[in-house]
Amino acid sequence: MKLRLFTKHPTPRQLPLAILKVALVGAVIGIPCALFLSWLMNAPWDRIAAHPWLWLASSCAIGSIFGVSFYVTCGLPMDYLRPVLRRFPPWQSRVLTIATAMAGGSLGCVFSITAVSLLFHVRLRTPIPLGKMAFVDGIIAVVISLVISAFVKLQAEKALRERTLSEAAAKAQTFALQAQINPHFFFNTLNTISALVPIDPKAAQETIGRLADMFRYTLSCSRGELVSLEDELTFARNYLMLERARFGSRLHVELPESSAAGVMLPGLTLQPIVENAVRYGVAKRVAGGTVRVEIDRRNGHCSLSVFNQFEPSDGAPNLDAGKVFREGHALANIRERLQLLFGDRAGLQLGMNGADWVQVTVKVPVEES
């Protein structure tokens, strides 16, 4: 039995079933409530023991009456009113929520006690006057309504966050298939493999294996889940080894030896940065250059930095944020996913490091054991 079936805007056709379910839940809850009230009002336990089935039936019936009364006077109005309240400013929405819950809770108390008195021809003895009891029930209804409203809001925000993250992950997968492993890179790698086959079959076989691993990893990142930094480093290493087979001695690679255990980040974070370092840095230098990756862990965060040289004669690269983080750019996509997953605890920065070096740093939180 799903609670949402009688709390999520039941249609007229669904309403009888929703009320029936509320009545059943009220009957179950009525038993412990009756025990508590009997103890509170010093009920004669010998009478209850003499007719246990009658007491049980009356407790379930009274519980159902109270449940249905509060559902009709408070639950349903709040359920249908909640979407309307979203159109109002927050303070007006809270005031209307409190007023509706207070009125509904109070009416539910009065209707319940009246219905029980009429149906069972008894006068319920309560430890406090009916007026005060209705007021207390109204306060309880207000608290419950505010809690439910906060919960619904959190669920909506969570759903929106997950949907946005899923869209960002799908976008990242598209970029990965179109850019990270694009046809140009693919055919260059195939040409490299073709050239290696007659002169170094073992190297050709290793290159094919790395290319297959890259495609396999790229496809596995489509779910938008966090991956380990070790996997990201392995993926980037395979990419750089394939590029080194093409560039030869012009490309120098320096990868970290330190442990990256325990560091989790979005898939396809490191490789696009490394690819930019090769494409816009090393590839434009006649003498080639170096791509260096460093890891720095401290104070509950991990900084993953990628350094690359550029051609000084071309002038310093344009690192303006409006250009670098433009829509559709790999770095903009990485920054967006970091923000969605970690909020302000993560980020992406880039800038100059020395006369002819560019540095891109990804910072993510680390759950220390």
Side-chain angles (χ1 to χ4, degrees), residues 246-264:
R246 181 162 66 98
F247 285 99
S249 59
R250 293 180 58 221
L251 175 60
H252 303 276
V253 177
E254 297 179 10
L255 296 176
E257 298 293 336
S258 59
S259 172
V263 181
M264 305 295 291

Side-chain angles (χ1 to χ4, degrees), residues 195-330:
L196 286 173
V197 168
I199 60 176
D200 194 343
K202 185 177 179 179
Q205 184 178 7
E206 291 177 353
T207 303
I208 294 173
R210 289 195 182 96
L211 185 62
D213 290 340
M214 288 188 65
F215 274 98
R216 188 179 300 112
Y217 182 78
T218 301
L219 294 174
S220 70
C221 290
S222 63
R223 295 185 297 272
E225 300 173 352
L226 292 175
V227 301
S228 67
L229 180 52
E230 293 100 321
D231 290 342
E232 283 289 286
L233 286 170
T234 300
F235 183 64
R237 182 180 291 108
N238 285 333
Y239 171 80
L240 288 170
M241 291 303 100
L242 290 176
E243 290 289 57
R244 192 170 185 180
R246 181 162 66 98
F247 285 99
S249 59
R250 293 180 58 221
L251 175 60
H252 303 276
V253 177
E254 297 179 10
L255 296 176
E257 298 293 336
S258 59
S259 172
V263 181
M264 305 295 291
L265 69 168
L268 300 174
T269 294
L270 178 59
Q271 190 274 337
I273 301 175
V274 170
E275 182 181 4
N276 283 346
V278 174
R279 180 185 299 178
Y280 301 113
V282 176
K284 294 185 177 182
R285 291 171 59 97
V286 177
T290 300
V291 174
R292 184 172 75 250
V293 180
E294 295 182 357
I295 297 175
D296 182 22
R297 295 178 61 166
R298 64 180 70 185
N299 300 326
H301 283 82
C302 176
S303 295
L304 179 66
S305 299
V306 178
F307 302 84
N308 71 270
Q309 293 174 291
F310 63 89
E311 180 56 53
S313 61
D314 293 338
N318 185 358
L319 302 181
D320 179 69
K323 178 181 179 181
V324 174
F325 296 111
R326 65 185 182 274
E327 179 68 23
H329 195 275

Side-chain angles (χ1 to χ4, degrees), residues 3-62:
L3 188 65
R4 68 171 119 177
L5 290 180
F6 53 82
T7 57
K8 280 285 187 180
H9 315 301
T11 63
R13 182 178 296 180
Q14 296 172 328
L15 190 58
L17 180 60
I19 292 177
L20 176 61
K21 290 182 177 180
V22 172
L24 292 175
V25 173
V28 174
I29 298 176
I31 298 174
C33 290
L35 286 172
F36 173 74
L37 290 174
S38 298
W39 168 81
L40 185 66
M41 295 185 292
N42 295 320
W45 294 100
D46 53 338
R47 294 184 182 178
I48 296 176
H51 305 282
W53 294 110
L54 179 61
W55 176 87
L56 185 65
S58 60
S59 298
C60 292
I62 293 173

